[in-house]
Amino acid sequence: GAGVSQSPSNKVTEKGKDVELRCDPISGHTALYWYRQSLGQGLEFLIYFQGNSAPDKSGLPSDRFSAERTGGSVSTLTIQRTQQEDSAVYLCASSLVLVSDTQYFGPGTRLTVL
Amino acid sequence: GENVEQHPSTLSVQEGDSAVIKCTYSDSASNYFPWYKQELGKRPQLIIDIRSNVGEKKDQRIAVTLNKTAKHFSLHITETQPEDSAVYFCAAWGGADGLTFGKGTHLIIQP
């Protein structure tokens, strides 16, 4: 079946602009996660949703970052007033029900802030 | 929160030899430990995972061991092949924080 999809695959933006990244999880997966991977670095957890609720938003790097999920499916990660240090690959993953169920990753969105 | 340490950062082995990557974690409540393989420019792919109720799991040339007392887990790849070359990440689930990842091991298979 279809895997996790993300759009856009690449986004180049100017410093100070807002960007919106989209994630479509695997159909039927109720848990959804956002991670960030900077060049040559590991994966940094940002936020996860159980259904439409995010139990803990403390992993978001700053108040410029926000995320929402509607209908228990699509999620958007919004970065306001982008900074150069926001440049990274943003990865979305989903799992069936629990946080500890196997997570499947999307292809990522490569964000470049000029 | 959870803290995961991964070693080594780079590992070079001869084709056909075995490779071992080790991780430690800090949160004794963690109970799910996946390993991901990431090839250059591609998404992480789950290769094997283990839950805290077992000590070892095998899948063909790949095995993972878990020592809950010592809070460490290891990935073992036998009979390494060129296509095993990639960055490998361990991770631990420590509750509401999602997965906490190690910093990765760059595995190089020498022909």
Side-chain angles (χ1 to χ4, degrees), chain B residues 34-73:
Chain B
W35 285 88
Y36 288 87
K37 175 183 180 182
Q38 188 174 30
E39 297 175 21
L40 189 64
K42 296 188 177 180
R43 76 187 80 181
Q45 298 275 11
L46 180 74
I47 55 171
I48 196 167
D49 57 11
I50 192 168
R51 299 181 192 276
S52 59
N53 57 344
V54 298
E56 184 176 5
K57 183 176 178 180
K58 286 185 179 180
D59 183 2
Q60 299 182 330
R61 297 187 295 109
I62 296 173
V64 57
T65 59
L66 171 64
N67 183 327
K68 285 200 68 181
T69 303
K71 290 189 283 189
H72 67 70
F73 56 113

Side-chain angles (χ1 to χ4, degrees), chain A residues 3 18 23 29 33 38-39 45 55 72 88 90 94 103:
Chain A
D18 297 351
C23 172
H29 281 196
Y33 317 81
S38 301
L39 186 62
F45 169 75
Y90 289 81
S94 71
Q103 295 186 24

Side-chain angles (χ1 to χ4, degrees), chain A residues 4 33 35 37 41-45 48 55-56 58 91 99-107 110, chain B residues 31-32 36 38 41-46 49 51 89 93 95-104:
Chain A
V4 178
Y33 317 81
Y35 298 89
Q37 188 171 34
Q41 300 296 309
L43 292 103
E44 175 190 5
F45 169 75
Y48 94 92
D56 184 354
S58 63
L91 288 155
V99 176
S100 59
D101 284 333
T102 301
Q103 295 186 24
Y104 298 91
F105 281 84
R110 182 175 297 279
Chain B
N31 62 7
Y32 174 62
Y36 288 87
Q38 188 174 30
K42 296 188 177 180
R43 76 187 80 181
Q45 298 275 11
L46 180 74
D49 57 11
R51 299 181 192 276
F89 292 97
W93 175 57
D97 296 336
L99 285 174
T100 300
F101 285 83
K103 297 213 179 292

Side-chain angles (χ1 to χ4, degrees), chain B residues 3 11 24-25 39 42 68-70 74-75 88 92 96-97 99 104:
Chain B
N3 182 50
L11 178 60
T24 61
Y25 61 99
E39 297 175 21
K42 296 188 177 180
K68 285 200 68 181
T69 303
S74 300
L75 177 72
Y88 291 79
D97 296 336
L99 285 174

Side-chain angles (χ1 to χ4, degrees), chain A residues 11 32 78-79 85 96 98:
Chain A
K11 177 71 177 179
L32 183 148
T78 301
I79 309 173
E85 61 262 29
L96 189 58
L98 300 174

